Amino acid sequence: LKCLRDAAACTGKLDAFGLVCAHCGRCLIDALSAEAARLVTRTAVGVGSRDPNVHDFTTPLFTVDSRSGTAFVGVDGEALELPTPLTFRSHPGGLRIRVPADTEQRLMRRRARNVNLGALLRVAAGHPIPTEAQ
């Protein structure tokens, strides 16, 4: 998979992380990549759930199919092209995560600080920290 419009003319490069877009403007990959970056950023700062394009769901099983019969995937950092359909199953209790013993206390302290996104963005833009009098 390269250019969505004309794969033969695409000057983008495929590497282990996927397509490195050449930003030629011939297809939508550049715009889709920018929107994906915005979505990841909004999600990382905790406002992704307010995005109308984000749909959160859970399911024990889902299948990815493709008209071409293959799908490009990343597995452990390796770029692969696999035959479809690809079926994914979730196994309850199948993933264990180790975290520091004081994780819950750290979370409570972070919540107690009550930092909001607006204040964080104002500080990042170089504006003074708002005080009660402002």
Side-chain angles (χ1 to χ4, degrees):
L1 174 71
K2 286 182 107 182
C3 180
L4 294 176
R5 190 171 305 269
D6 183 359
C10 182
T11 57
K13 304 288 184 238
L14 283 174
D15 68 9
F17 300 106
L19 178 71
V20 179
C21 184
H23 311 290
C24 66
R26 282 186 240 153
C27 74
L28 297 175
I29 287 180
D30 197 24
L32 293 172
S33 297
E35 178 57 30
R38 286 190 293 273
L39 179 59
V40 167
T41 302
R42 288 190 301 262
T43 302
V45 297
V47 296
S49 61
R50 292 186 229 152
D51 190 304
N53 298 312
V54 173
H55 305 284
D56 190 10
F57 64 94
T58 60
T59 182
L61 174 81
F62 71 95
T63 301
V64 175
D65 208 346
S66 169
R67 288 184 296 234
S68 70
T70 62
F72 290 93
V73 299
V75 178
D76 292 335
E78 184 177 352
L80 301 172
E81 183 176 7
L82 297 178
T84 58
L86 299 170
T87 301
F88 298 86
R89 287 181 184 83
S90 173
H91 299 278
L95 177 64
R96 294 180 186 259
I97 299 173
R98 292 181 182 228
V99 297
D102 66 342
T103 298
E104 191 169 349
Q105 290 84 10
R106 289 181 188 192
L107 176 61
M108 298 305 276
R109 285 194 304 270
R110 202 171 292 141
R111 283 184 182 157
R113 286 186 222 131
N114 195 22
V115 175
N116 67 52
L117 181 61
L120 181 62
L121 292 174
R122 283 191 296 278
V123 170
H127 300 290
I129 299 172
T131 62
E132 297 284 331
Q134 291 179 329

